[in-house]
Amino acid sequence: MNGFELLKARKAIRNYANREVEREKIEQLLEAATWAPNDRLREPWSFYVIQGEAKKKYEQLADGYLQERFPTKPTLIESSLKVVKTTPVIIIATADITENEADTKDNEYAVCCAIFSMWLAAGELGLGFVWRTRGVGLVHDQRIHDFIGAPANKKVVGTIFLGYPAEGETEAEMEKKRTPYQEKTMWL
């Protein structure tokens, strides 16, 4: 598959088979992340892999967050927690915060590139992947920062849910509607 085909084939997989992901494959994704572009080769990322007992604690954290955030939406809470409970691997990605605001922004962009590199590699490894920045990803909630034990100079950029796709998840060909680049491009 060439690069363009790989980009067009990428999709968010949110439902996973009841199957553990091999550590070697997780490590391959982390290796892919290290090849992402980053300003002055600062490599401003850290990854926190959550499985097993830690994942059960994450589920409790997500439950508390959802109960507070959506107290009148029990169906939303239930469906969101089901996703968390059936996700085999969760990875939190952080960016280094520096004294220089411009460098900090560049670091966040680099971590976004690292996450996307992992996403493309996941497809090659037969894994489903979704990058969460809201809701059960807890990205904007201090509790996730405290949970992973990240130092104060780290900013959570994304939460990755990872696993083998549930049956029918990859076969379901959903037409991706994309605005043609011509409508989003100005030539100067």
Side-chain angles (χ1 to χ4, degrees):
M1 185 178 304
N2 71 39
F4 285 105
E5 291 168 338
L6 189 62
L7 287 168
K8 289 178 181 179
R10 183 214 50 82
K11 68 181 272 189
I13 304 291
R14 293 176 175 85
N15 298 302
Y16 306 103
N18 185 16
R19 178 178 169 193
E20 290 299 314
V21 177
E22 300 85 349
R23 184 180 179 109
E24 299 79 36
K25 288 192 176 184
I26 298 168
E27 289 173 347
Q28 285 180 286
L29 295 181
L30 296 167
E31 171 76 16
T34 67
W35 290 99
N38 61 98
D39 188 46
R40 290 178 264 156
L41 288 177
R42 281 194 297 263
E43 300 178 331
W45 40 68
S46 293
F47 301 99
Y48 300 81
V49 180
I50 301 171
Q51 296 177 285
E53 287 302 312
K55 195 167 98 46
K56 290 178 184 171
K57 291 178 184 174
Y58 182 94
E59 291 168 15
Q60 294 171 350
L61 194 69
D63 185 31
Y65 169 81
L66 292 167
Q67 296 289 346
E68 287 175 24
R69 181 97 168 85
F70 305 106
T72 61
K73 298 182 178 179
T75 305
L76 173 66
I77 293 170
E78 183 181 331
S79 65
S80 296
L81 287 175
K82 180 182 177 197
V83 170
V84 173
K85 289 177 181 180
T86 59
T87 299
V89 180
I90 297 171
I91 302 173
I92 309 294
T94 65
D96 294 346
I97 298 170
T98 68
E99 292 179 13
N100 180 311
E101 187 177 335
D103 286 350
T104 295
K105 276 286 185 203
D106 285 346
N107 289 347
E108 289 177 44
Y109 302 147
V111 173
C112 291
C113 291
I115 292 169
F116 193 70
S117 295
M118 293 169 75
W119 201 335
L120 294 178
E124 287 290 307
L125 296 172
L127 297 170
F129 187 109
V130 66
W131 171 6
R132 296 184 175 272
T133 56
R134 298 174 54 176
V136 294
L138 307 175
V139 171
H140 305 290
D141 193 271
Q142 182 62 36
R143 286 174 280 205
I144 194 63
H145 197 273
D146 297 339
F147 173 71
I148 62 175
N153 70 330
K154 298 283 186 184
K155 177 181 179 179
V156 176
V157 175
T159 302
I160 298 157
F161 282 24
L162 175 70
Y164 285 96
E167 190 173 323
E169 188 73 14
T170 54
E171 291 79 22
E173 282 298 317
M174 295 177 16
E175 185 65 33
K176 290 183 183 177
K177 182 178 178 340
R178 299 292 177 156
T179 303
Y181 76 88
Q182 294 91 337
E183 293 180 32
K184 301 281 187 173
T185 305
M186 281 53 71
W187 296 84
L188 307 177

